[in-house]
């Protein structure tokens, strides 16, 4: 065995041994391939693109809406608070606390 001989060759395994030979066509030539239905192919591609892009566009729309709400809240002097159990909103703007009166 030479140094360039691989493991598969050293065991006597080749692709010709692993795969059966293709069957021969009974006629003089190969049969024609079926025609491609371009409408089905186009609708399938459109469905896959919509299935991929729709969740992304919804997530980006929510992100941009939350950015606008957060910017408006911070501009008014408040802060964006996290979720609480009594308030069922995912976000809210808490106003700035009133300054304490010194005694």
């Amino acid at each position: 065995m030479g140094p360039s001989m691989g493991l598969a060759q050293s065991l006597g395994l080749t692709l010709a041994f692993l795969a059966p030979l293709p069957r021969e066509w009974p006629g003089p030539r190969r049969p024609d391939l079926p025609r491609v239905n371009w409408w089905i192919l186009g609708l399938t591609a459109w469905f896959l693109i919509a299935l991929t892009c729709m969740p992304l566009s919804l997530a980006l729309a929510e992100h941009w809406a939350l950015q606008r709400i957060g910017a408006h809240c911070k501009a008014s002097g408040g802060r964006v608070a996290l979720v609480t159990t009594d308030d069922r909103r995912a976000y809210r703007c808490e106003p700035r606390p009133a300054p304490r009166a010194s005694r």
Side-chain angles (χ1 to χ4, degrees):
M1 285 190 213
S4 64
M5 185 177 273
L7 178 64
Q9 287 178 341
S10 65
L11 294 175
L13 300 175
T14 63
L15 289 178
F17 174 75
L18 295 175
L21 291 174
R23 64 183 186 138
E24 295 183 15
W25 299 108
R29 63 181 181 93
R30 289 184 62 183
D32 294 333
L33 295 175
R35 293 179 47 111
V36 176
N37 189 340
W38 292 104
W39 280 103
I40 298 293
L41 188 66
L43 287 174
T44 304
W46 178 86
F47 176 74
L48 291 176
I49 289 171
L51 190 68
T52 303
C53 294
M54 200 174 306
L56 177 64
S57 64
L58 292 174
L60 284 174
E62 183 180 7
H63 174 71
W64 293 330
L66 289 176
Q67 277 186 334
R68 283 194 305 270
I69 291 170
H72 178 68
C73 182
K74 289 177 184 175
S76 68
R79 69 180 184 94
V80 177
L82 297 176
V83 176
T84 60
T85 56
D86 56 337
D87 185 12
R88 297 201 180 265
R89 292 180 290 176
Y91 50 86
R92 66 176 178 195
C93 183
E94 289 185 349
R96 180 185 309 173
R100 291 184 178 181
S102 60
R103 293 184 180 182

